[in-house]
Amino acid sequence: MKISFFSSKSYDRTYFNRYNTTHQLKFFDTSLNLESVNLLTDSQAVCVFVNDRLSAEVIAQLALKNIKIIALRCAGFNNVDLQAAQSHGIAVVRVPAYSPHAVAEHAVALIMTLNRKTHKAYNRVREGNFSLERLTGFDIFGKTVGVIGTGKIGEAFAKIMKGFGCRVLAYDVQPNAQLEALDIKYVPLQELFSASDIVSLHCPLMPQTNRLINAETLQQMKPNAMLINTSRGGLVDTGAVIKALKSGHLGYLGIDVYEQEADLFFNDFSESIIQDDVLMRLMSFPNVLITSHQGFFTEEALCQIAQVTFQNLHDFEAGALNPSTTLVKP
Ligand code: NAI
């Protein structure tokens, strides 16, 4: 099969070439959009990532180019119009779990960095500044952590925090019995917000969760609490978060995802004038830590992404799509 990759980076080429045995792979740096769709000549499959926007218009163009399958090399699929794919008879597959531990551990890295300020200490010591002024943190042990969404990543995260000696509260539309057995208590969302010192988001972005963190829910949070988002930017109303940071009500913010990330994340703009004033405002707070969607980025996850994607394409060719990785069956 001929497969065209969009938004591809050096690491995509490395890992997909490593596991490729039979397919012809074409790698494009550009994201998939109404213009770049014209790069497709004779491919049967496109392989896309989190910030490729597969709108109904783009999917209609893919159909005209005879694309038979969209292979997402990620878990989230909020960027794909599944109905449009269905109506054009294009299959959509994804990699539902590549390493839940990678993302859960990254959420913990954000917590630990924000708390113990190791990023600041690193720079200070390199400059010969051995002062401890303004580096005070807090013990994670004994704190209350609220986990919103206890699927694969939320579960891994909740277990790590339990290991730190935290009281873990959870909210999910489908409680996870395994976590309840570990003394992790499911509570209504409002109770989770008002009781938690740290709130971490691990639910998908969908109409029901869009801007779950807004002026009202931020107000329900404890003063000086920490908010962590490694899930999707749209879960958070960034304007409301900036207000809560400015007033001092929100104590810390750690994000690996951002609502408008598609134009920036995964690319180097270090010599450019960044036009996104909201992101620049966020970056100006000393108690905000931003990473550019690297939660998934481990050796184990990259191997798994390539292997599962090739398996999905193989299953499609064999006419035996795996229901657990298939979003749209043609
Ligand atoms: P999952 O599907 O295993 O778990 C999602 C959980 O959210 C499920 O338990 C589900 O019941 C729950 N949920 C659904 N609607 C909800 C609602 N309204 N309120 C509360 N909970 C709700 O997904 P997984 O693998 O744990 O991934 C979670 C999210 O993490 C993905 O949707 C994706 O957006 C994000 N992600 C981020 C990555 C990164 O690199 N930063 C990498 C991979 C995923």
Side-chain angles (χ1 to χ4, degrees):
M1 189 186 286
K2 289 186 181 165
I3 310 162
S4 285
F5 287 70
F6 286 87
S7 302
S8 67
K9 301 286 175 200
S10 65
Y11 42 88
D12 295 310
R13 288 186 267 276
T14 303
Y15 286 87
F16 278 92
N17 282 327
R18 182 187 296 175
Y19 290 103
N20 182 33
T21 45
T22 50
H23 304 288
Q24 202 175 314
L25 313 184
K26 249 186 188 174
F27 292 98
F28 297 113
D29 295 350
T30 174
S31 59
L32 180 59
N33 54 44
L34 275 177
E35 260 177 54
S36 61
V37 81
N38 291 312
L39 292 167
L40 292 168
T41 46
D42 53 356
S43 295
Q44 292 84 51
V46 289
C47 184
V48 294
F49 198 47
V50 290
N51 290 329
D52 290 298
R53 293 194 183 117
L54 287 96
S55 62
E57 292 85 354
V58 169
I59 289 175
Q61 292 302 311
L62 292 180
L64 287 176
K65 298 277 181 188
N66 277 322
I67 294 298
K68 303 291 178 221
I69 180 165
I70 297 165
L72 289 158
R73 51 180 192 278
C74 54
F77 51 89
N78 52 288
N79 53 329
V80 185
D81 189 327
L82 298 180
Q83 256 182 353
Q86 185 83 70
S87 68
H88 286 286
I90 300 179
V92 183
V93 289
R94 66 173 178 142
V95 185
Y98 21 97
S99 171
H101 308 290
V103 186
E105 289 167 15
H106 190 72
V108 178
L110 292 177
I111 293 172
M112 294 307 288
T113 309
L114 277 169
N115 173 22
R116 304 304 299 268
K117 306 173 178 64
T118 42
H119 53 323
K120 296 183 185 184
Y122 172 80
N123 285 322
R124 275 192 195 186
V125 170
R126 279 168 68 92
E127 288 180 6
N129 175 358
F130 303 100
S131 159
L132 298 184
E133 297 292 337
R134 301 180 309 282
L135 292 183
T136 323
F138 58 85
D139 285 11
I140 300 280
F141 177 85
K143 294 293 181 296
T144 300
V145 178
V147 187
I148 301 181
T150 51
K152 292 174 286 296
I153 296 171
E155 178 181 328
F157 173 78
K159 286 178 177 167
I160 298 172
M161 297 321 290
K162 212 50 197 158
F164 269 85
C166 295
R167 178 167 82 114
V168 180
L169 302 177
Y171 174 80
D172 196 305
V173 287
Q174 284 182 308
N176 175 337
Q178 234 200 45
L179 290 185
E180 285 177 305
L182 293 176
D183 198 27
I184 289 169
K185 194 175 161 207
Y186 281 88
V187 293
L189 208 43
Q190 193 164 347
E191 189 179 330
L192 182 146
F193 284 129
S194 61
S196 299
D197 300 291
I198 300 170
V199 172
S200 193
L201 308 178
H202 300 287
C203 57
L205 176 62
M206 54 215 297
Q208 301 90 307
T209 57
N210 189 40
R211 301 202 163 183
L212 179 78
I213 302 296
N214 52 48
E216 196 186 328
T217 49
L218 281 162
Q219 207 43 51
Q220 291 166 6
M221 283 174 69
K222 268 183 159 178
N224 208 34
M226 183 187 288
L227 175 66
I228 301 292
N229 185 10
T230 56
S231 200
R232 283 293 180 269
L235 295 174
V236 171
D237 176 344
T238 313
V241 159
I242 288 175
K243 277 193 190 139
L245 285 163
K246 280 174 82 174
S247 73
H249 180 69
L250 183 62
Y252 310 80
L253 175 72
I255 55 173
D256 186 46
V257 287
Y258 166 62
E259 214 171 358
Q260 305 302 329
E261 70 177 51
D263 297 333
L264 293 168
F265 282 19
F266 307 122
N267 294 308
D268 181 359
F269 291 103
S270 54
E271 297 299 321
S272 308
I273 308 296
I274 294 174
Q275 300 297 328
D276 187 329
D277 292 346
V278 175
L279 185 69
M280 297 316 275
R281 180 67 181 101
L282 271 183
M283 277 158 44
S284 73
F285 292 100
N287 49 351
V288 171
L289 180 61
I290 305 173
T291 53
S292 60
H293 210 134
Q294 71 176 81
F296 74 101
F297 204 54
T298 64
E299 175 78 25
E300 290 81 355
L302 289 166
C303 293
Q304 186 71 5
I305 287 170
Q307 286 174 296
V308 174
T309 301
F310 283 130
Q311 186 62 47
N312 283 340
L313 293 164
H314 175 268
D315 293 347
F316 174 76
E317 284 184 308
L321 280 170
N322 177 348
S324 70
T325 58
T326 303
L327 296 165
V328 172
K329 211 176 158 193

